[in-house]
Amino acid sequence: MNLLASSPKTLLAGLTLSLLVSGCGFQLRGAPPVSSALQPLAVDCSRNVPEQLCSSVKTQLELGNINLQPAENADYVLNISNFRRERRASAITVTAAAAEYTLRQTVDIEVLTSDKVPLIAPADLSSSETYRYDETNVLAKQREEEALREQLYDRLAQQIIFRLAPLDRARIEQIKKDAEQTRHQDSGQP
């Protein structure tokens, strides 16, 4: 059906629906938006974190209009560390050769305020994928494995963004207030 040839009521209903959907923050794909309250933000990747993973996180944050700064200029710091990679046989042939491998990547994250209040306590995030291995086509399987590693980096980056999404201004202020109360109780102050 041609939208231009349709009735004005149909056109008006379509425009109204699109305005309502866009106005409520609906997104078709991708990670949820990170609150503007979480900026300026620094992304600090330790040396053992692959550059592809760190870049993927930064790119997704930049696409969400998050102001990224060096740690010394940021109000919040996302620490990404302790990257681990595992490759293990998950299925064996009758001749005791690997028929499938499982790739698993794990990373630790935490988010701190500039005064070291944890907004997200240290947490492990992991992603895995299984693929069939054919020893008669080793080169193609190596390429497939490398492509899967890249996908796992993107999935981990997306998981990190999902963890940041609930940190809006009200939640951040509540966490800071709770931390301040805990400090006062621990020091014996009223």
Side-chain angles (χ1 to χ4, degrees):
M1 179 167 111
N2 186 350
L3 187 58
L4 295 175
S6 62
S7 72
K9 287 182 182 180
T10 305
L11 184 59
L12 183 59
L15 286 172
T16 303
L17 180 61
S18 68
L19 286 173
L20 287 173
V21 168
S22 65
C24 73
F26 177 77
Q27 293 181 321
L28 286 177
R29 289 187 175 260
V34 175
S35 171
S36 62
L38 197 61
Q39 54 184 343
L41 176 68
V43 177
D44 184 20
C45 295
S46 68
R47 278 195 265 162
N48 78 328
V49 175
E51 180 57 35
Q52 299 97 316
L53 173 58
C54 201
S55 291
S56 185
V57 170
K58 289 177 181 178
T59 298
Q60 289 190 35
L61 289 167
E62 287 169 345
L63 288 172
N65 296 319
I66 297 299
N67 178 13
L68 297 180
Q69 294 289 323
E72 59 272 4
N73 299 336
D75 291 342
Y76 307 97
V77 178
L78 166 62
N79 291 314
I80 305 173
S81 61
N82 198 20
F83 179 81
R84 281 111 45 216
R85 177 182 302 167
E86 178 186 351
R87 177 183 183 249
R88 65 178 179 82
S90 55
I92 306 294
T93 66
V94 292
T95 60
E100 285 184 355
Y101 281 100
T102 298
L103 300 177
R104 180 180 204 75
Q105 295 178 352
T106 305
V107 71
D108 296 343
I109 67 159
E110 71 176 331
V111 176
L112 302 171
T113 64
S114 57
D115 55 346
K116 306 297 184 216
V117 173
L119 298 179
I120 295 178
D124 280 358
L125 301 178
S126 65
S127 186
S128 64
E129 186 68 52
T130 300
Y131 70 98
R132 290 182 182 260
Y133 185 76
D134 180 4
E135 59 189 29
T136 63
N137 198 358
V138 175
L139 188 58
K141 290 302 174 178
Q142 286 175 340
R143 280 189 232 132
E144 180 182 359
E145 182 175 328
E146 188 55 40
L148 287 175
R149 287 186 198 282
E150 295 292 326
Q151 288 176 11
L152 293 176
Y153 293 144
D154 290 340
R155 286 185 200 164
L156 279 175
Q158 200 167 45
Q159 285 184 44
I160 292 168
I161 300 301
F162 277 122
R163 289 291 179 106
L164 299 177
L167 293 174
D168 60 9
R169 190 164 313 283
R171 186 166 172 98
I172 291 170
E173 291 305 318
Q174 185 61 48
I175 292 169
K176 286 180 175 181
K177 182 179 172 186
D178 292 347
E180 187 64 30
Q181 286 177 347
T182 301
R183 278 190 203 142
H184 284 297
Q185 289 173 353
D186 290 347
S187 67
Q189 295 178 356

